[in-house]
Amino acid sequence: MPHIADHDIDPELRTVGKIIRRLPSTNTPRWFRLNNWYANRHKKGHFPDHLHVEERYIPRSDNTQLRVLVAWPDNPQPLATGVLWLYGGGYAVGLPETDLRYAEKITAITNSVMIFPDYRRSTEAPYPAGLNDAYTALEWMLKEADTLGINPNQLFVAGESAGGGLAAALSLYVRDHSSIKIAFQMPLYPMLDDRPTSSSADNDAPVWNTKSNRIAWSLYLGDYYGTDQVPPYAAPARAVDYADLPPTYSFVGTIEPFYAEVLTYIRNLQDAGVTARADVYPGAFHAFDLMLPNATISQEATRNWLNAFRFATDHYFAKNT
């Protein structure tokens, strides 16, 4: 992608974008680890007062415990939509607590119970640890559907950035290796392709660029990085078969690294007969909706994905019982 000039950035995002791109990068392994240290000490276990959140622990196959957060609407009704939400952060940083903002929005307009697994980050363990944790949480969500008040025939997977990539990877993995049926997926500006694309090669946009993308993929893929052996369950863009995947909604900005891979992914789904759509926002950099939620373009993006999600709760089901 050619150099992204400041005037290429949406006017309402431009000032913050200019500031971010002039600051020293914090997207390095050292900063990733410092970020996680800080989050574990100061954000873990802190929930919004007005949101009903509980902490649960799920046994892994190695007898360790996977922490998950469960978020309920204020007045839960029977047979709620079950949403497995995977947080973003380049597969390297983050906590489920940081994504509870999505639970606030989704539970305000739909009868949904949301599960946020604290999946292992690449700074702790590379692929497939995060995917294994996501699948463990999905299995648990289905097994405990009655207790959680979830409709077992309406399981969704979603997430933003790397969480969106993990959602897409989980959908592929479940299709190929499980009897669980996912009714809908919503990977928002997902991190899908470890290989350079027309928008991820030589990208110098704010927030996330070519350098940060390479660092994050190298941490996540470990020994797979830079080889032709990367599984599609690690980088979903490497899939060759997109048939029988769930209906899909996404969105992406035109100046961010993931622009090309998101549109290619959606086109591959459509070509395979899957109902899929991505909204595109000119001049928007990565995670613009989170960085500047009050900008007009961010409000439009949020309104559109919420409408897509609400439509999915009314129309998409997949039988698990």
Side-chain angles (χ1 to χ4, degrees):
M1 174 176 279
H3 167 67
I4 296 165
D6 290 339
H7 64 74
D8 294 324
I9 304 172
D10 175 87
E12 288 188 69
L13 309 179
R14 190 172 298 153
T15 298
V16 169
K18 289 166 65 175
I19 293 170
I20 291 172
R21 73 193 316 183
R22 285 161 176 75
L23 293 174
S25 174
T26 57
N27 293 326
T28 66
R30 177 175 178 269
W31 278 105
F32 288 157
R33 291 182 174 91
L34 284 172
N35 185 303
N36 289 334
W37 174 85
Y38 179 85
N40 285 333
R41 286 179 63 91
H42 298 288
K43 295 182 180 179
K44 196 171 187 176
H46 296 278
F47 315 134
D49 291 336
H50 54 280
L51 191 64
H52 182 193
V53 181
E54 292 184 9
E55 219 171 20
R56 303 284 181 91
Y57 288 86
I58 307 170
R60 296 188 179 99
S61 58
D62 63 358
N63 295 319
T64 61
Q65 299 286 308
L66 170 62
R67 186 177 76 103
V68 302
L69 304 183
V70 184
W72 279 276
D74 286 338
N75 298 297
Q77 301 299 312
L79 297 177
T81 303
V83 185
L84 184 72
W85 191 282
L86 301 158
Y87 64 84
Y91 299 107
V93 296
L95 280 175
E97 280 84 348
T98 61
D99 271 15
L100 289 174
R101 67 189 97 186
Y102 291 102
E104 295 177 88
K105 291 180 170 63
I106 286 172
T107 60
I109 64 166
T110 67
N111 181 39
S112 297
V113 174
M114 301 187 65
I115 312 299
F116 294 80
D118 192 0
Y119 67 83
R120 284 168 288 181
R121 300 161 292 201
S122 62
T123 50
E124 306 165 54
Y127 170 84
L131 177 65
N132 289 342
D133 285 348
Y135 183 68
T136 295
L138 181 68
E139 280 190 311
W140 178 81
M141 185 168 71
L142 177 58
K143 180 182 177 182
E144 299 296 323
D146 286 346
T147 302
L148 296 168
I150 287 172
N151 181 353
N153 300 319
Q154 196 173 48
L155 305 183
F156 291 5
V157 297
E160 88 287 5
S161 190
L166 196 52
L170 181 61
S171 291
L172 281 165
Y173 182 83
V174 166
R175 181 199 64 183
D176 295 342
H177 298 286
S178 175
S179 61
I180 299 174
K181 303 299 182 185
I182 295 171
F184 175 71
Q185 65 168 347
M186 191 172 69
L188 305 179
Y189 41 86
M191 185 174 172
L192 300 167
D193 202 339
D194 62 298
R195 302 160 299 185
T197 71
S198 60
S199 61
S200 67
D202 301 317
N203 185 298
D204 61 354
V207 181
W208 199 257
N209 55 34
T210 297
K211 183 178 179 180
S212 49
N213 204 39
R214 287 172 180 161
I215 291 170
W217 276 116
S218 67
L219 286 171
Y220 184 61
L221 295 178
D223 292 340
Y224 285 113
Y225 183 69
T227 74
D228 291 329
Q229 308 304 313
V230 177
Y233 312 127
R238 288 183 176 261
V240 295
D241 178 9
Y242 291 82
D244 301 317
L245 287 169
T248 303
Y249 173 82
S250 185
F251 74 85
V252 69
T254 59
I255 65 171
E256 77 143 285
F258 304 153
Y259 173 60
E261 62 205 66
V262 170
L263 296 190
T264 298
Y265 177 69
I266 294 296
R267 187 165 55 250
N268 287 337
L269 289 169
Q270 292 170 340
D271 289 346
V274 176
T275 300
R277 169 182 142 222
D279 289 328
V280 174
Y281 295 96
F285 48 72
H286 189 67
F288 67 96
D289 59 314
L290 303 182
M291 301 291 296
L292 290 152
N294 293 324
T296 302
I297 194 172
S298 301
Q299 292 179 339
E300 180 186 359
T302 299
R303 183 169 58 252
N304 287 342
W305 76 252
L306 281 171
N307 286 338
F309 185 91
R310 181 160 43 193
F311 179 90
T313 63
D314 291 335
H315 293 87
Y316 297 135
F317 301 85
K319 193 169 181 60
N320 281 301
T321 57

